[in-house]
Amino acid sequence: MPEPTKPQTAPVKMRAKNVNFYYGSFQALYDINLDFATNKVTAMIGPSGCGKSTFLRNLNRINETLRDTRLEGEITLDDENILDQDVTAVRRRIGMVFQRPNPFPKSIFENIIYGPKINGMLKGKNAAEIVETSLRRAALWEETKDKLNESAYALSGGQQQRLCIARALAVNPEVLLLDEPCSALDPIATSKIEDLLITLKHQCTIVIVTHNMQQAARVADTTGFFLLGKLIEHDKTEVIFKNPSRKETEDYITGRFG
């Protein structure tokens, strides 16, 4: 069913075309076609095990680290197929933030500067400036500016997740992928992350997987609904939640299943 990819109110930054994905002989994704608009937030919703996180991880080729997996189709960034490019360069352009905060066992400063350092981005640049800019972009500077040399583990869960976002932003990615970034956080920390995403979309294109439909409604410009490895529908978020075109979407939104 290679249908979805309707809403376009901005140029396409990234595009998945006829994407199929296999874990061994098990097919997890079926003919996914989805456009991601520049400087917009795209949310992906659906019940557990429906393929949304698997799809997200293919967008910066993280699934390649798993044995016996296979991807078919095309994923483009600025009309260039990322599957034909150096994987390190791809992951610098397409950052990823995971479900649970995963700071490195280093100081706050070293967490942020790690990416620019290994990517050779420090030549002639002020490391302290990169750290401050990244933390400001993640709305974390005021809370951490006096403890940059302290362990990242001393931060709260919500602060650690914003640190991971700041770490991803330190290499100036063009796309930021987030896999249920608030699932382990309390409502206050969740609200801070959501506010942050709305601000960040003016600087990069954002793709978020979430189980929280209210969260999708609050932060996303467009939303895609996944079911059994297929993208059932993709439209403007208000359309998905108020007037979906597919019965499966309506059933999920109204709580009839999932």
Side-chain angles (χ1 to χ4, degrees), residues 115-162:
K117 193 184 289 183
I118 64 167
N119 281 286
M121 297 169 64
L122 289 182
K123 293 168 189 152
K125 290 190 178 176
N126 186 318
E129 199 176 300
I130 291 174
V131 170
E132 179 176 346
T133 300
S134 303
L135 288 168
R136 283 190 184 280
R137 289 176 74 188
L140 193 58
W141 174 249
E142 292 302 326
E143 295 162 62
T144 59
K145 63 183 179 183
D146 297 323
K147 41 188 174 186
L148 296 178
N149 294 317
E150 294 181 17
S151 169
Y153 291 158
L155 299 173
S156 69
Q159 289 173 324
Q160 286 186 19
Q161 192 64 299
R162 278 183 286 147

Side-chain angles (χ1 to χ4, degrees), residues 34-97:
L34 183 54
D35 289 354
F36 301 98
T38 304
N39 297 122
K40 301 291 182 185
V41 179
T42 301
M44 297 190 287
I45 62 171
S48 296
C50 67
K52 54 193 187 296
S53 288
T54 293
F55 177 62
L56 187 81
R57 289 195 297 267
N58 278 309
L59 295 180
N60 77 342
R61 296 174 54 183
I62 279 194
N63 279 342
E64 286 181 16
T65 60
L66 303 175
R67 292 179 61 186
D68 200 21
T69 59
R70 178 163 52 96
L71 174 68
E72 296 173 350
E74 196 175 81
I75 299 172
T76 60
L77 178 64
D78 292 334
D79 294 324
E80 295 178 354
N81 193 348
I82 67 168
L83 305 178
D84 299 332
Q85 298 173 30
D86 173 69
V87 70
T88 304
V90 167
R91 290 182 189 151
R92 193 190 72 72
R93 296 178 71 193
I94 306 170
M96 180 102 185
V97 176

Side-chain angles (χ1 to χ4, degrees), residues 8-25:
Q8 269 327 308
T9 53
V12 174
K13 181 66 180 176
M14 200 168 183
R15 170 173 284 149
K17 189 175 179 185
N18 300 327
V19 169
N20 294 280
F21 184 76
Y22 301 81
Y23 293 106
S25 59

Side-chain angles (χ1 to χ4, degrees), residues 43-47 50 52 210 213 216 223-226 240-241 252-253:
M44 297 190 287
I45 62 171
C50 67
K52 54 193 187 296
T210 179
M213 286 188 279
T223 296
F225 170 59
F226 281 70
I240 289 290
F241 284 101
Y252 182 71
I253 297 293

